[in-house]
Amino acid sequence: MVKIYQAGSLNTTALTVPNLYVQIVPPQTVLNGVPSNRLGIVGTASWGPVNTPVIIGGMGDYIASFGAKQPLTTNIGTAVNVALLQGATDFRCSRVTDGTDTAAVVPGGINISGTSIVTLTARCTGSLGNSIKWKIAPNSAGTKAVLSVALAPMGITETFVIPLSSGKIATTDCIAAVNGTDGVNTASNLFVAGAPTAGATSVQFAATGGGANGGTDGGIPSTVQFIGTDATTTRTGMYSLRGTGCSIGLLAGLTDPSSWTAQQAFGLGEGTYMVTSFASGMSISNAVSGLASAGVTGSYSLKVMHGDWLYWNDDTNGTMLLPPSFWAAGRLAALSPEQSSLNKQLYGVVGSQKSGLTSTSQALTYSDAELTALFGVGIDVIANPSPGGSYWSCRLGHNTSSSAAVSGDNYTRLTNYIAETLATGMGVYIGEVINDGLFADVRATLLGFLKTMLDAGLLGLYGGTIPYTVVCDTSNNSQARTALGYLQADVAVRYQGIVEKFIVNLQGGTTVTVTTSSGSV
């Protein structure tokens, strides 16, 4: 009888019975790159869960989760809208509040007998909860009560069937139906039902229904609230994005330089390129000194945009002046990680504070001296014209690092991409026996991934040489270290450069001698 075993479960040196033994050997481990286009946004909204990342793929998803856009520079929806226009398609959005936001409630309770039996409180805080409508009426047989609730701006309608006993609804039955604990109804996405509040005004069966009120958005969150806390059980603000795999991060509308060291540290730990900007109307001289004071020039995980804010024609709130970080973050999320934001066309810009609105025909531009002052300290700016023509684009494509070797957008993004992919996929080798076979498997896995990057254009040949090497053998794994359980792989990868200064040498004149070969014209 043939016996089948999984590889590693059969001791082939101790077999005694003559037979056929088949071992199932798993295929070679293959690394699949992690997503590099995911944009995490923390900001305000008029509805939705707080400090909970929500998957968003477009404005329809946003409205269904957070409601309509607000006329605020801190609004998640406005940032998503701008980023979508730049080509971003994958978002993790987390709502933050200042703590003064309140949930709408149905005034009074729901009852038949004249005694308030239940309190309905909107599941989420925010002013959008005031748009919730409800009605309750007995069914045609008079055996059940039907509670209908709706939030029209989000397209949500819900119906709950509640038992009637002698024409009355029991408090426990109503609460169980709305909260989905009765085994019949699904929990409401709009309301949470609870015991009646003291002094509540009772509400009879009402086919015409009623509404909720008292929901408020609160004020603009502070810097501390935007950054949040990093407790493992209750992460808030920026830290709520931890573990979501966002390659780009944006705290919508937050321009406080005191937050940048925290953003930078978060970006380093999460492999996230954090994008921010100075306050609206910041002068060049103040921006230069402000970046120096912020103390963020030692790392590559932060991109700072100049305080020349951009005009945007919002389809909900009209013309708005928004931080340039919205555009930079959206464009980076739409680019492959080996690319730079430099000279990539941006969309939806109808003017800037320096240039004015396009409709006014004002066209002030940055001088080389102004750009030199900004670029010298690693501050990017969105301007028009661009090196490639009359369009808006980022004019530097750098992070804030003072080291030229790591200051490009492409360094941050490609390094994070490779590191996150290795961190995600190479853990399968933990627990394996260290020998020449393992060395070969590790090398094959790493070389296979790098070859895939080369084939896809994320890496490139230069002078015909392969742009990577992998060493994992006895030369970097001594017996003394492997005996202690250490395994080391040394991976070297050469990135592709980005054209920043293109020099064309032109020689012209009547005395110039031109030599051409046959067929060159």
Side-chain angles (χ1 to χ4, degrees):
M1 180 178 178
V2 178
K3 294 184 179 294
I4 300 176
Y5 298 87
Q6 298 298 313
S9 65
L10 177 65
N11 182 355
T12 57
T13 67
L15 300 178
T16 57
V17 178
N19 211 335
L20 173 61
Y21 300 87
V22 177
Q23 293 191 87
I24 305 298
V25 179
Q28 172 64 48
T29 299
V30 177
L31 290 182
N32 189 39
V34 298
S36 62
N37 64 338
R38 186 170 297 157
L39 172 56
I41 302 177
V42 176
T44 60
S46 59
W47 180 262
V50 176
N51 298 314
T52 303
V54 177
I55 299 173
I56 299 296
M59 287 309 297
D61 292 340
Y62 175 80
I63 292 171
S65 298
F66 296 102
K69 291 178 289 183
Q70 300 169 295
L72 299 171
T73 59
T74 58
N75 179 243
I76 301 171
T78 304
V80 167
N81 203 167
V82 171
L84 283 167
L85 200 58
Q86 313 317 310
T89 58
D90 185 8
F91 303 86
R92 297 296 182 272
C93 298
S94 186
R95 181 185 174 205
V96 66
T97 73
D98 73 339
T100 65
D101 48 305
T102 56
V105 296
V106 170
I110 296 176
N111 73 97
I112 296 175
S113 61
T115 303
S116 178
I117 67 163
V118 68
T119 297
L120 295 180
T121 304
R123 184 170 291 277
C124 299
T125 61
S127 59
L128 189 62
N130 299 328
S131 299
I132 297 176
K133 301 298 181 183
W134 66 273
K135 61 182 180 180
I136 186 169
N139 63 6
S140 57
T143 58
K144 305 280 186 182
V146 179
L147 171 63
S148 301
V149 297
L151 184 52
M154 299 178 70
I156 300 176
T157 58
E158 299 175 339
T159 300
F160 306 93
V161 178
I162 310 168
L164 284 174
S165 178
S166 301
K168 299 180 181 180
I169 305 173
T171 300
T172 54
D173 288 341
C174 187
I175 292 175
V178 174
N179 294 343
T181 59
D182 61 351
V184 176
N185 294 279
T186 301
S188 172
N189 290 314
L190 298 179
F191 281 121
V192 175
T197 57
T201 302
S202 61
V203 178
Q204 302 291 337
F205 270 155
T208 56
N213 58 41
T216 62
D217 299 330
I220 300 300
S222 67
T223 297
V224 171
Q225 290 163 328
F226 256 107
I227 294 299
T229 58
D230 200 19
T232 55
T233 54
T234 55
R235 290 193 173 112
T236 65
M238 174 183 71
Y239 295 108
S240 65
L241 296 178
R242 193 178 289 285
T244 57
C246 295
S247 63
I248 308 294
L250 174 68
L251 307 186
L254 181 64
T255 60
D256 184 357
S258 70
S259 72
W260 292 352
T261 54
Q263 291 191 54
Q264 190 178 70
F266 177 80
L268 283 175
E270 287 293 300
T272 301
Y273 195 12
M274 300 299 295
V275 183
T276 188
S277 67
F278 278 103
S280 172
M282 178 72 70
S283 69
I284 292 176
S285 59
N286 286 341
V288 170
S289 61
L291 186 69
S293 300
V296 291
T297 59
S299 174
Y300 58 80
S301 62
L302 184 72
K303 183 179 184 70
V304 174
M305 306 301 298
H306 181 45
D308 183 8
W309 285 28
L310 306 177
Y311 287 101
W312 155 268
N313 284 335
D314 190 80
D315 58 7
T316 301
N317 300 303
T319 301
M320 300 179 67
L321 190 61
L322 300 175
S325 53
F326 288 14
W327 278 264
R331 196 67 178 96
L332 283 167
L335 291 171
S336 186
E338 83 283 3
Q339 298 288 332
S340 167
S341 64
L342 172 62
N343 202 28
K344 303 299 190 299
Q345 186 169 358
L346 301 173
Y347 305 96
V349 182
V350 295
S352 72
Q353 288 177 298
K354 182 176 181 64
S355 298
L357 285 165
T358 304
S359 59
T360 66
S361 299
Q362 184 178 352
L364 296 179
T365 60
Y366 284 92
S367 67
D368 284 351
E370 290 174 317
L371 294 177
T372 297
L374 291 171
F375 298 170
V377 295
I379 300 173
D380 208 340
V381 65
I382 292 174
N384 185 1
S386 298
S390 297
Y391 54 83
W392 297 89
S393 75
C394 291
R395 291 289 282 109
L396 178 60
H398 280 198
N399 55 56
T400 59
S401 174
S402 57
S403 171
V406 302
S407 61
D409 290 334
N410 60 318
Y411 176 85
T412 303
R413 302 208 58 224
L414 200 53
T415 298
N416 287 344
Y417 171 71
I418 296 173
E420 288 296 311
T421 298
L422 299 185
T424 300
M426 294 303 291
V428 297
Y429 289 110
I430 300 299
E432 296 296 310
V433 177
I434 302 174
N435 53 34
D436 286 349
L438 180 64
F439 292 154
D441 288 345
V442 169
R443 288 196 302 271
T445 299
L446 292 171
L447 289 170
F449 170 61
L450 295 171
K451 178 62 164 58
T452 300
M453 290 183 63
L454 178 63
D455 293 342
L458 276 70
L459 302 176
L461 299 175
Y462 187 79
T465 60
I466 300 297
Y468 51 80
T469 61
V470 175
V471 178
C472 184
D473 51 33
T474 56
S475 68
N476 61 341
N477 287 278
S478 66
Q479 185 177 358
R481 295 195 75 219
T482 59
L484 297 175
Y486 291 95
L487 177 67
Q488 179 173 319
D490 296 321
V491 182
V493 184
R494 184 187 65 236
Y495 300 168
Q496 300 171 93
I498 300 296
V499 179
E500 295 185 357
K501 300 92 176 176
F502 184 12
I503 301 171
V504 178
N505 294 316
L506 171 65
Q507 184 183 43
T510 59
T511 61
V512 175
T513 300
V514 179
T515 303
T516 61
S517 59
S518 176
S520 62
V521 177

